[in-house]
Structures are given as C-alpha cells and as structure tokens.
Amino acid sequence: MPVREPTPLLARHPDLPRRLAAVAPGAKLLTRPAEWAPYACDGLTARRRRPGMVAVPADAGEVAAILRLCHALEVPVVPRGAGTGLSGGALPREDALVLSLARLDRILEIDPEARTATVEPGVRNLELGEAVAPFGLFYAPDPSSQVACTLGGNVAENAGGVHCLKYGLTVHNLLAVDLVLMNGETVRLGGGGLDGPGLDLLPVVCGSEGLLGVVTRLRVRLLPRPESVRVVLAAFDALRRAGDAVAAVLRAGILPAGLEMMDRLALRAVAAYLGPGYPECEALLLCELDGCAEEAEALAQRVARCFAEGGAVEIQVARTPEACRRLWAGRKAAFPAMGRLAPDYYVMDGTLPRHRLGEVLETIAALAREHGLAVANVFHAGDGNLHPLILYDAGVPQQREAAEALGRRILEACVAAGGTITGEHGVGVEKLDAMCIQFGRGELERFHALRRAFDGKGLLNPGKAIPTLHRCAELGGMHVQRGRLPHPELERF
Amino acid sequence: MGDRTRELAEQVQEAARTRTPIAPLGTGSKGFLGNPCRARPLATTGHTGVVDYQPAELVVSVRSGTPLPELVRLLAREGQALPFDPPAFPPGGTVGGAVGAGLAGPGRPWQGAVRDHVLGLTLVDGKGSVLHFGGRVMKNVAGFDVSRLLCGSLGTLGLILEVSLRVTPLPETTCSRVFTLDAEAAQSCLARWLRRPFPVTGAAWEGGRLHLRLAGTEAAVRAAVRRLGGEQEHPAFWTALRDQTLAFFRRRDRRVLWRLSVPPNAPVRGHDLEATLLDWGGAQRWVLAAPDDPGPERLAQTLGGYAVRFRQEPPARPWQVLSGTLLWLNQQVKRSFDPAGIFNPGRLHPGC
Ligand SMILES: Cc1cc2nc3c(=O)[nH]c(=O)nc-3n(C[C@H](O)[C@H](O)[C@H](O)COP(=O)(O)OP(=O)(O)OC[C@H]3O[C@@H](n4cnc5c(N)ncnc54)[C@H](O)[C@@H]3O)c2cc1C
C-alpha cells in the first residue's frame, strides 16, 4: 500500500474516527484509502474523488448521532445510497464524511389493508417490489436501475420509471419520511394517513438530493396489480411521426401505463446486444395498457388505431405476459447495450412539453452532427422525458469535453422549448451550470434560503444541486427567460 | 382576461416596506380555514385568464384569479378535468385559492392531491419578487420543488400569480353504488376491495351506508359492478360530499367540524359513529364534536394521524397543533419565503 497523504478531513480532524466510534459504536468506519474505491463516484463515473472518510451506521439513531457530531465539528456530510445516481449527487469530497445508508436495509412493515409499506432507506427498489408482490400489490416507481438503487436514493432524486406516466413519480407515492436534519434532530414529515400536519414539506424533500436532511425511514403507498396487461409496439419511419403519435394517444384520452420510444441507433445497439427482435425503423414506440381484461384489450386496440392513423409502418400487440416481457426486453437492455456502440456514454435527462418532442429530437440530431458525436435516444416519451445518450470515447483527447459541450447545448434546447434540464436524474454536480440556464437570481436565492431553513450551516451535501450565484454570474447570465435564450445568435460552449 | 402581475407585486413590495400584514385571497371562500389573523386582504380578482392550454399536453396554465368553475367548464369542453376535484364552497373560489387551500375531493386516494398535479407556479414572495418555479412538463427535478410546497400553505408563503396544472381525461363513465353496512363491516369490505384493481374513485361511509364511486372505461366499470354488487345511487352524492352540503355537514350546529387524517384501516371503534363520516376509504374522517371537546384530536393521534378544527365558530382554539422540531422547521421555512412575516401571520401556526 503506497503511503498517502491524509485527506483534508482527517488532517483537520485526526480524532474524528475515534469520536465517531464513541457516538455510533455500531457504525463501520472506513478510514483507509484501500476501502474507499467503491465510494469514489456514483453512476456519473466520469467524476471521481477521494472521500474524506466513510461511515456506515447501523441504524437511524447512529445516523442522528453522527450528524450531530459533524454539525458540532462543522464537518460536511455526503449521504449515499447505492451510488447509482447519474448526476454526481453522491460524489464524495476530500473534506467531507460519506454517510452510507446501506445498512439501514430492513423492510419494517407491509400493511396490505392500508396498502402501504414502511421501509428503511437502504432497501433496494426491486426488493420492495418483490416483497409486496405476494399481496397482489406493487410499488409504482420503477427506475431502470431498480435492481440496485435504494428507496432513500429514490426519494432524494424523486426517481421515476417506465410506469410513472400513469402511476406517478416517487413524490406521488411517498406518504411519510423520517428526516434527520444536519443538527441531529429528527422530524417526521407526512403522516399516518395521506397527508401530514403543517406545511407540506414532503415534496420539497423529495428530489432534494440529500441537501435538506437524511431520510432514515419512509412510508410508501402500494397499488393493486392490474389484472391484465397489453403491450403495443409500433414502428415509424420518422422520429417526428412517432413523436406526434405520442401526442395523439394522450389527446385521445388514453393514459397508458407506459409509453417509451427508441430511435434507430438505440435499436441498432439493442440488436447487437440481444440479437434481432424489433423491426428496423427510425423510431419505435412501446405502449403498455392495463386494466381488467376487457379494458386492457379495448385500450390496446384504440392505441393501435392511433398509431396506424399516425403512419406506423408496423404494429404488434402482445397479449400474454410472456409476449409482453419479450417486447419490453430490448427497452430494458437499452442502457447496457450502448456499450456495444461506444466505450463511454453520457446520459442527458431533459424534459419537454410532449408536442415538441419531434422537433427537439431533430434539433438534437443536428447538434450531434455539428459536434461530430453520435446520440442515441431511449426515453419516456409519454412523460416527455428525453434521455439522449451521447456516445464518446474518453480515451480520445477532447471527446469527453465535446460530449459535455453537446450535452449543454441539448439542455439549452430543452429549456428553450419550454422544458427542463432534468426530469429524474437530478442536478448533482453535473448540471450546476445548466441550472443557471433554467433559473434566475431570485429563484436561486430562494433555493439557498430554503436550504438554510433546514441546514443553517450548509454542511449537507455542499456544492450539489443548487449553484452559487457567483458561479452563475461567472457563466455570464445564460438564464433562459421563459423559453428565450439571451443572444441566440452567439455560439455557446 | 387581465394580467395584474405588476400591480400585485407592487402591493406586496409596499406591504413589505411598511411591514403591513396582508392576506392573499381569491374570493375568500376558504377564509374559515386556519387560525384567524389580522391582515389586509389582497385579492387576485381580475388577475384572470388561461395563459396556455393544449389539451394533448394534458396541462393548463392559468392565472390565479380565474374563477374555478370557469376553468372546470373550459376543461370539460375538451373532455378533461382537474383530477383533484377541488371543493366549491360559497361564494365560489378561484384557481389560486384552490391551490393555496390544497383541498381535494373524494377521489383523493386514487386521483391524487392538489400538489400531485401542480407542475409549476409563479409567485410573489415576501420581498415582492416575482419568481417562477417548476414548469409545464410532467417531470422536473431541477431545484427544490417549491410549487408543490405552496399547495395548502394558506397564503402564508407568498401570493400565487399563475399555476400550471396537470389535467386528466374525463372518465368514459361514472357509476355510484351504495351498500347497507355498519362501519366495521364497511371497513372490512373496503380492506378487501381496495386491494384489488377495481376502478374506484370514491369510498365513503356515513349513517350505516357505504358509498362507492366507480369511474373509468365502460368495460372496467361494468365488470366491477358485476363483482361488487350494491344498489345504484345518484352521483350527486359525491358533489354534496365534496362541497360539504350533505345533511351530515348541515347537522353541525355550533359544533366543531374536525378533519382527521389517519391510516384508512385505523379502527373505527373509538369514534362516535353518529357524528362521524368516513371519506377517502377511511383515511379522511369528518367528526362533529362540542367546541371544548379535545377528543377528536386525541383520537387522531392514537390512530397514528393528526386532526384539524376544519370549521369552528367562533375560532376559539388553534386549528392545528404542531410542536417541537416540526414546528421549528415550519417557522424556518416560512421565514425563508417571507422574512418580514407579512403573509397571513399566524394563520397556520404561531410564527407561520
Ligand atoms: C443504468 C441506470 C439506469 C437508471 N434509470 C433510472 C430511471 O429509469 N429513472 C430514474 O429516476 N433514475 C434512474 N437512474 C438513476 C438512479 O438510479 C436514481 O437516481 C436512484 O434514485 C439513485 O438511488 P441510489 O440509492 O443509487 O442513490 P445515490 O446515487 O447513492 O444517491 C443519490 C442522491 O441521493 C442522496 N441520498 C441517498 N440516500 C439518501 C438518504 N437516505 N437520505 C438523503 N439523501 C440521500 C445522495 O446524497 C445523492 O445526492 C438510473 C441509473 C442507472 C445507473
């Protein structure tokens, strides 16, 4: 083991491990660099740092004790779930303690009559889904990372999934949390029923990226599993047509359980990974419908009609669970499949008004050509939530920079179309500059003030989610006021 | 249709300068909610109009002073509706008021609360700045979710100028069924039924009758009626429940109308069932009690929830009790929006 400098955290507080052990005797304390590798980054692997040190407490009481101590010592803290976040929200800092919630991993209660579950934050999303399935219930938010990501991380990012169009995001399915504040105090937000007393702080905590408090317990609602499911596949020979078909389904008063799109490049990656399955085309839509048997079938036929009228060149309807699974398999494999096309990819997460999908997809294609990079699209079309995947090779000089520059242009296009820079992956460290496009000084000030209301010293996950006013000023006033970019004629970088 | 943004913001700036408490309101139809507070009314009257509505987008952006019935009619013409089905208390109500009050109709457990459908809003904060949060898109995690926080804040955080709301298609068909059952039997029926994917959008019990509303596609509703049975009932029941014009609410007299928010399956045994109406499948319970009877509040706590004095005349006691860190945090958040404390001071709690 090479001798290393102590991290700034341990250099400043050499006795921190001892004091942590005293207040949280059950916690695992990782103080040796050899133990830190898994904590160096999250799903945004392009950014890595050494943690100051890592603590893995055994229970909520220890979380509170650790935060209280760090508060007193003014030690910054980075909460961490499974580290699958895609925006660097759990990226460590050398002057901060990483607080892993991994060991708070118990399902505390499943109440099938109230249709709720109470869990600790380290429980994995899929694990909860599997635990409630025998009761005929499901937990709706189903991020593609559900095998690995934790429910605490889902709350902190307001995670969504394929079924959010009909069944909502994490915020719509969250009933209560126990939140430990930076000063070590615990508050329960939400209540035993559908709402809680006082201001509704729950939605503020949802998506707060670990800046407001640490979630140590959460209660979620469960839904009855639909009796019957159909999946309609439709192939289109133009992105714009597929985009318009999405709008047509919604306009017809149909709210599908899921409505996803893949473009030609994404389809090619999937075919290389899984073998042929989907028809070759410019854009593919997958639409899931559910309900009682008669209802699911009737809806599937109406959707198929919408797609046919929208110019689909091929339509398939899956009616058995096995056939549905087959149609979904390629979509589910899309992210891992990208490895077949390029060594690295960079996922964007902009959201748009749905009627502008087709147009913005064309803009993205043009921007990609301009930057000399390929972009594949696999995304939640029904929600208007784009996931352009910028393919690049970090081994080639300047490609990572080019990918990031393209990413920024794509987000500008989203904001200019009346959308947002992130639908479900969060701002983290990655989109701090993009936040300056979306918000003006007044809004950013309000965010900082709200943060101080929870954490007066600003010690929880500092440097994430909300850019400083100074940073935005340095970027030079890029705020896109209500869909209009200042100086659209200028080249951006 | 008029845009009074400038003028309303200036009035807030003026109030901030002179530290004059102000009460943002629409028509004042929900003025009875919360603690009484002395503040100069600042009405959004005339700040009206639909700013953007594209039915295929399932989103409407509307100025806060727009009368609620006007918006509901506009949506209905396109076969759409506000999923949270806000109550209409006389004299009427505006969109801003519906969002600020945060009240949802009987469909709440299935169709969501007000905040579940607020995608973005524009507000004037306590310094008089006009700020935009959220947007018109379905998913958005850029910045803290201030828009949803404003729902139910009763005008204590700012003056709402404009809201973008998610709307939903009107159901193909709606059907109301009624069953003669005592409260415990009704509760055990609901425990079984609501675990199955029936298209339920309302479940309420009062006076020995369980009312069930089913809505959705013809096929789903027909199948559910076949399996659940019950007798046909006029759907007007649900509007009367929502707007509190049912006989139950009119029997109130001088009693306090409590709202209890509890787990839906919390036992009904502790309730005076003559004076109780269960809504939201049991998760929202309306209880009538004598003005000095603290029973409902204690009961709610025992059942794992909380209670508010929804209607009391005169408003002699605090409408809701908060304490400890949660009260402190509420006060902190209030101060972060309204440092001078001009918006409805004390309406929610002391210091907020
Ligand atoms: C292949 C892949 C596919 C993905 N697909 C989706 C998708 O479909 N939809 C989607 O929404 N996301 C998706 N993601 C992103 C990611 O999985 C989610 O953001 C997830 O919610 C993160 O959970 P986590 O446990 O990994 O959290 P982490 O990455 O560990 O942390 C995320 C943030 O939450 C904070 N945090 C973690 N736990 C807590 C806690 N208990 N209290 C307070 N703050 C906490 C951290 O500080 C950090 O800011 C995907 C990621 C990958 C790698």
Side-chain angles (χ1 to χ4, degrees):
Chain A
M1 199 66 225
V3 183
R4 290 252 218 139
E5 291 283 302
T7 59
L9 175 64
L10 291 175
R12 196 175 130 221
H13 299 283
D15 62 340
L16 184 64
R18 189 183 52 75
R19 298 186 68 170
L20 285 170
V23 297
K28 274 191 210 147
L29 301 175
L30 312 181
T31 52
R32 290 178 305 129
E35 302 169 309
W36 293 339
Y39 302 93
C41 66
D42 64 3
L44 183 72
T45 49
R47 310 265 182 114
R48 288 169 187 274
R49 265 189 233 154
R50 267 200 309 173
M53 69 169 279
V54 180
V56 196
D59 57 38
E62 290 195 344
V63 171
I66 291 173
L67 289 179
R68 195 172 300 119
L69 178 67
C70 290
H71 186 249
L73 299 176
E74 307 209 330
V75 168
V77 173
V78 179
R80 183 181 179 98
T84 68
L86 290 171
S87 52
L91 181 71
R93 298 165 55 113
E94 297 205 352
D95 64 347
L97 174 88
V98 169
L99 181 69
S100 163
L101 282 305
R103 282 169 72 204
L104 275 70
D105 61 354
R106 288 174 305 159
I107 296 179
L108 300 171
E109 187 193 37
I110 296 169
D111 184 343
E113 287 191 357
R115 302 171 304 287
T116 61
T118 307
V119 301
E120 292 186 322
V123 172
R124 286 173 296 111
N125 179 293
L126 187 65
E127 201 180 331
L128 175 62
E130 286 172 353
V132 303
F135 301 98
L137 300 170
F138 73 104
Y139 176 61
D142 54 350
S144 315
S145 51
Q146 66 181 157
V147 189
C149 65
T150 66
L151 291 162
N154 290 171
V155 171
E157 299 288 2
N158 191 16
V162 165
H163 292 100
C164 287
L165 178 55
K166 181 165 175 184
Y167 298 110
L169 306 160
T170 302
V171 68
H172 301 108
N173 290 281
L174 184 67
L175 296 169
V177 298
D178 282 2
L179 189 76
V180 185
L181 304 179
M182 188 62 215
N183 64 12
E185 298 284 320
T186 303
V187 278
R188 180 161 294 180
L189 304 178
L194 292 170
D195 44 47
L199 291 167
D200 192 359
L201 300 175
L202 205 51
V204 180
V205 168
C206 215
S208 64
E209 304 192 22
L211 269 70
L212 301 183
V214 176
V215 175
T216 52
R217 181 185 153 109
L218 52 150
R219 206 163 55 83
V220 298
R221 78 172 176 156
L222 306 171
L223 299 172
R225 223 193 357 260
E227 201 174 88
S228 202
V229 174
R230 298 283 185 280
V231 177
V232 183
L233 169 154
F236 292 84
D237 56 13
L239 278 174
R240 207 176 255 247
R241 269 201 201 113
D244 293 345
V246 169
V249 168
L250 298 172
R251 183 68 190 94
I254 301 168
L255 202 57
L259 181 48
E260 301 282 305
M261 195 191 296
M262 281 188 270
D263 71 1
R264 177 177 282 283
L265 195 52
L267 291 168
R268 199 192 311 151
V270 169
Y273 188 69
L274 291 183
Y278 295 136
E280 255 190 56
C281 57
E282 287 304 315
L284 187 92
L285 290 179
L286 287 170
C287 183
E288 182 167 303
L289 293 313
D290 63 11
C292 70
E294 221 182 306
E295 181 183 26
E297 181 58 32
L299 289 173
Q301 284 176 18
R302 283 177 60 197
V303 166
R305 252 197 320 277
C306 278
F307 288 163
E309 282 161 15
V313 291
E314 183 177 336
I315 294 173
Q316 299 172 18
V317 181
R319 295 194 164 76
T320 64
E322 177 47 30
C324 292
R325 201 197 52 74
R326 260 203 315 275
L327 286 193
W328 274 123
R331 165 66 183 88
K332 296 221 158 130
F335 279 59
M338 288 304 154
R340 296 285 160 129
L341 296 185
D344 301 284
Y345 65 81
Y346 179 39
V347 193
M348 309 307 299
D349 176 39
T351 301
L352 296 173
R354 289 161 289 206
H355 69 280
R356 306 201 57 178
L357 274 178
E359 167 200 341
V360 174
L361 286 169
E362 284 175 2
T363 307
I364 292 175
L367 286 171
R369 275 193 302 276
E370 193 182 306
H371 285 73
L373 291 169
V375 172
N377 285 288
V378 186
F379 64 99
H380 313 303
D383 292 319
N385 185 188
L386 296 177
H387 286 326
L389 289 118
I390 303 172
L391 305 176
Y392 72 101
D393 182 348
V396 176
Q398 304 301 318
Q399 275 222 349
R400 191 172 81 107
E401 291 73 11
E404 287 186 357
L406 172 56
R408 199 181 148 101
R409 293 289 298 274
I410 291 177
L411 295 184
E412 280 176 13
C414 290
V415 177
T420 174
I421 56 168
T422 173
E424 58 181 18
H425 293 167
V427 172
V429 292
E430 180 218 0
K431 286 177 223 106
L432 284 170
D433 289 346
M435 282 288 283
C436 312
I437 311 176
Q438 184 147 358
F439 293 102
R441 187 186 178 91
E443 288 82 8
L444 292 172
E445 274 174 354
R446 193 62 45 244
F447 292 147
H448 286 293
L450 193 51
R451 172 178 194 212
R452 281 194 302 277
F454 283 75
D455 171 15
K457 295 185 181 178
L459 292 171
L460 260 179
N461 219 2
K464 314 280 174 66
I466 314 292
T468 58
L469 296 174
H470 179 70
R471 181 182 187 125
C472 289
E474 288 220 313
L475 273 170
M478 293 275 292
H479 173 45
V480 182
Q481 185 68 24
R482 311 214 105 189
R484 265 205 309 282
L485 204 61
H487 316 297
E489 72 286 1
L490 297 182
E491 182 68 60
R492 315 217 170 262
F493 47 89
Chain B
M1 162 135 174
D3 181 354
R4 291 181 58 209
T5 301
R6 268 275 288 282
E7 181 195 340
L8 289 167
E10 278 167 12
Q11 294 201 35
V12 176
Q13 284 156 17
E14 177 61 23
R17 210 164 23 245
T18 56
R19 305 229 153 198
T20 315
I22 44 174
L25 53 82
T27 56
S29 71
K30 297 176 189 83
F32 64 89
L33 293 172
N35 300 312
C37 65
R38 257 220 280 260
R40 204 182 62 217
L42 179 55
T44 56
T45 317
H47 184 63
T48 57
V50 170
V51 179
D52 187 23
Y53 176 39
Q54 285 162 27
E57 219 30 65
L58 302 176
V59 177
V60 64
S61 301
V62 52
R63 293 203 186 98
S64 55
T66 308
L68 202 50
E70 222 169 80
L71 176 61
V72 171
R73 268 197 306 274
L74 171 77
L75 298 175
R77 276 202 294 275
E78 299 291 339
Q80 297 182 341
L82 294 174
F84 51 91
D85 193 20
F89 303 133
T94 60
V95 175
V99 172
L103 302 176
R108 156 72 182 95
W110 303 277
Q111 294 165 320
V114 179
R115 58 103 140 158
D116 292 328
H117 303 285
V118 168
L119 300 174
L121 53 72
T122 304
L123 62 84
V124 188
D125 73 358
K127 293 180 184 160
S129 319
V130 175
L131 304 173
H132 307 282
F133 296 99
R136 291 173 190 165
V137 291
M138 294 294 123
K139 294 162 91 173
N140 189 353
V141 289
F144 299 130
D145 198 339
V146 170
S147 318
R148 298 192 206 272
L149 171 61
L150 265 284
C151 301
S153 63
L154 294 182
T156 60
L157 300 180
L159 177 114
I160 299 171
L161 285 173
E162 187 184 316
V163 228
S164 293
L165 296 164
R166 184 163 75 154
V167 301
T168 43
L170 279 165
E172 230 171 80
T173 187
T174 300
C175 156
S176 185
R177 311 295 290 180
V178 62
F179 307 76
T180 304
L181 291 168
D182 69 33
E184 285 194 35
Q187 222 182 7
S188 70
C189 279
L190 288 179
R192 272 181 292 121
W193 294 344
L194 298 181
R195 276 173 69 175
R196 316 241 325 255
F198 293 122
V200 174
T201 63
W205 178 92
E206 196 251 331
R209 285 152 72 85
L210 172 67
H211 308 259
L212 207 60
R213 183 170 63 184
L214 301 161
T217 57
E218 297 275 358
V221 171
R222 209 175 330 112
V225 169
R226 215 165 37 232
R227 281 195 245 171
L228 295 172
E231 284 164 44
Q232 193 73 22
E233 177 187 45
H234 197 278
F237 170 83
W238 298 99
T239 319
L241 171 60
R242 183 194 71 189
D243 299 345
Q244 303 193 338
T245 55
L246 281 180
F248 173 88
F249 296 99
R250 284 188 270 117
R251 279 207 321 263
R252 181 163 67 96
D253 248 351
R254 241 160 256 116
R255 285 181 291 181
V256 173
L257 174 69
W258 287 84
R259 173 184 181 269
L260 276 57
S261 171
V262 296
N265 57 339
V268 290
R269 257 169 283 127
H271 286 282
D272 169 7
L273 290 170
E274 299 287 303
T276 304
L277 185 154
L278 309 177
D279 193 5
W280 295 6
Q284 171 170 266
R285 302 179 182 186
W286 298 105
V287 172
L288 299 172
D292 52 357
D293 178 4
E297 181 146 54
R298 267 187 231 141
L299 179 63
Q301 275 162 12
T302 330
L303 297 179
Y306 74 101
V308 297
R309 288 182 171 83
F310 195 80
R311 289 180 193 264
Q312 57 169 344
E313 291 104 27
R317 291 178 178 75
W319 98 301
Q320 184 186 114
V321 179
L322 271 197
S323 59
T325 312
L326 186 55
L327 174 60
W328 173 82
L329 191 57
N330 271 260
Q331 291 164 338
Q332 288 278 102
V333 170
K334 156 79 175 174
R335 260 198 296 278
S336 78
F337 278 84
D338 178 19
I342 54 167
F343 286 120
N344 274 334
R347 187 166 179 198
L348 276 177
H349 311 288
C352 30

